[in-house]
Amino acid sequence: MTKNKKLALMAAGLILLLLAVDIIIYAPYRKGIPSMKNLGDLSENQKSQLKKASSAARLLPTAGNLGKLGMVFHSGAFYAQAMDCYALAVRKDPSEWIWNYYLGYLKREMGESEEAVAAFSEVVKVNPKVYHAYYYIGQGLQDLSRYSEAEKAYANIVSLKKKEGMSIGLFRDDYFPLSVYAKYQLAQLYISNDRLDQSEKMLNEILSSYSSFGSVYRVMGALYRLKGDTVAAARNLLKANDMTSFTYPVDTLADRISLMSRSENYLLKQIDEAYNTSYVDWARTLIDNALIYLPENKYVISKAVRIILNT
């Protein structure tokens, strides 16, 4: 056998070995990738985005490619498919905490509190400095009426310094530190447990530094009504009606989903949410994206005209 034939056989053997390894390692993940069929009547931009992400994930199903496909499904309001992709990405590489984060965020959006808590708990095991995960764990536990556990989750962020955990993004910054939102949730938790004095103390603590946090006045009004002070209750509720209501922190990781969206269903909801919470510049950014990727959509055009005229 000549030297060239030996080299050719070795090369062919190596290729076969690599193909076998590829099949053994990646086949289970390729099998779990959601089908591209029956995804509804999508725009050409959304179809192209999904096909590109799906092709990358099928060609090389790494945690990154599987997770990015999940983000595309998520941003297109295909939530079941997004969950499948996030779960595959977590299974492929549990050390990449971001996919558990997005899985938890989506579970939370779908009202699956138990699963959301489990996903975010995995996040903080890998990276304890993902402070928003503690906030979502607290929320989920609160929804499940597991108040003492929720209190412990919020304790991880309630004493953070002003800039720690505060969302600073390319397109928008949070108006308040994450610790303020944690205190706000704790105040409501205390009311649920008939710990009215502790709730009042927590609410006053927020207002002493952040008097523009409008939602606090609404909770304060409910608190005083429970205490029987109808005058103070009415005064606080009146003040709440005059102020912008902030009830949840900005999450710049979640904003990435909105920025990549090519979906009318998903984008319109995010634009409304941004505008109604006084993040007008962020709403305009999403409108600009919507007009690029859905230029002939009458609902997008109508919303863009209304918000641009109002601002």
Side-chain angles (χ1 to χ4, degrees):
M1 186 180 291
T2 66
K3 185 178 179 181
N4 286 339
K5 284 184 177 180
K6 284 182 180 180
L7 289 173
L9 284 171
M10 288 175 64
L14 182 59
I15 291 170
L16 288 172
L17 178 62
L18 290 173
L19 285 172
V21 170
D22 179 87
I23 291 169
I24 293 168
I25 294 176
Y26 291 127
Y29 300 100
R30 288 195 180 100
K31 187 178 179 182
I33 294 173
S35 169
M36 292 290 294
K37 297 176 182 177
N38 302 319
L39 292 180
D41 190 16
L42 308 181
S43 68
E44 289 305 313
N45 280 314
Q46 193 174 0
K47 286 178 184 176
S48 174
Q49 185 189 40
L50 273 166
K51 286 177 182 177
K52 185 177 178 181
S54 181
S55 295
R58 290 182 186 281
L59 179 65
L60 190 62
T62 61
N65 284 340
L66 292 165
K68 286 172 187 174
L69 178 57
M71 293 175 74
V72 173
F73 275 124
H74 192 164
S75 72
F78 293 107
Y79 300 126
Q81 291 89 341
M83 285 185 194
D84 288 343
C85 289
Y86 289 148
L88 282 172
V90 169
R91 180 177 151 201
K92 184 71 181 68
D93 189 352
S95 69
E96 291 190 23
W97 59 264
I98 189 66
W99 308 123
N100 251 321
Y101 189 93
Y102 283 130
L103 179 60
Y105 192 88
L106 183 49
K107 292 286 187 180
R108 170 181 166 273
E109 282 187 306
M110 302 303 290
E112 298 176 20
S113 299
E114 194 81 54
E115 292 86 349
V117 168
F120 285 120
S121 295
E122 291 302 315
V123 171
V124 296
K125 283 181 186 177
V126 177
N127 188 349
K129 290 190 176 181
V130 184
Y131 296 118
H132 276 64
Y134 291 112
Y135 178 82
Y136 295 135
I137 290 169
Q139 265 196 330
L141 292 168
Q142 206 168 340
D143 291 341
L144 293 166
S145 301
R146 291 159 59 180
Y147 299 123
S148 61
E149 293 174 76
E151 197 168 339
K152 288 177 183 176
Y154 291 132
N156 289 288
I157 51 177
V158 78
S159 298
L160 290 176
K161 294 176 182 177
K162 183 176 179 179
K163 292 295 181 182
E164 286 184 300
M166 189 172 179
S167 286
I168 307 294
L170 184 61
F171 295 97
R172 63 167 172 168
D173 299 340
D174 208 333
Y175 293 131
F176 305 99
L178 185 61
S179 58
V180 170
Y181 294 98
K183 289 175 181 177
Y184 173 73
Q185 292 293 340
L186 276 172
Q188 296 185 90
L189 186 153
Y190 293 148
I191 290 175
S192 299
N193 283 280
D194 201 28
R195 295 153 67 183
L196 303 186
D197 290 339
Q198 280 181 274
S199 180
E200 185 175 2
K201 181 181 177 183
M202 188 66 76
L203 293 169
N204 282 322
E205 192 176 314
I206 296 172
L207 294 177
S208 65
S209 300
Y210 301 95
S211 58
S212 59
F213 197 93
S215 302
V216 169
Y217 296 101
R218 194 170 304 283
V219 177
M220 191 75 89
L223 173 69
Y224 281 128
R225 190 184 294 116
L226 288 170
K227 284 191 165 189
D229 189 341
T230 55
V231 174
R235 184 173 64 247
N236 277 279
L237 289 172
L238 186 63
K239 199 162 189 177
N241 291 334
D242 291 335
M243 303 184 76
T244 302
S245 178
F246 298 95
T247 55
Y248 57 88
V250 167
D251 187 335
T252 53
L253 290 177
D255 285 351
R256 294 181 190 177
I257 304 291
S258 302
L259 282 172
M260 66 164 49
S261 181
R262 311 286 187 264
S263 163
E264 169 199 317
N265 292 335
Y266 197 85
L267 267 174
L268 292 178
K269 178 184 174 184
Q270 301 308 313
I271 291 167
D272 278 340
E273 195 172 88
Y275 182 73
N276 292 334
T277 52
S278 295
Y279 288 100
V280 178
D281 289 343
W282 175 235
R284 290 288 295 269
T285 297
L286 294 178
I287 285 171
D288 290 344
N289 270 15
L291 290 173
I292 290 170
Y293 298 114
L294 297 161
E296 297 178 2
N297 186 289
K298 61 182 180 180
Y299 300 108
V300 168
I301 294 169
S302 174
K303 191 170 292 294
V305 169
R306 180 174 65 82
I307 289 179
I308 290 169
L309 288 175
N310 284 345
T311 56

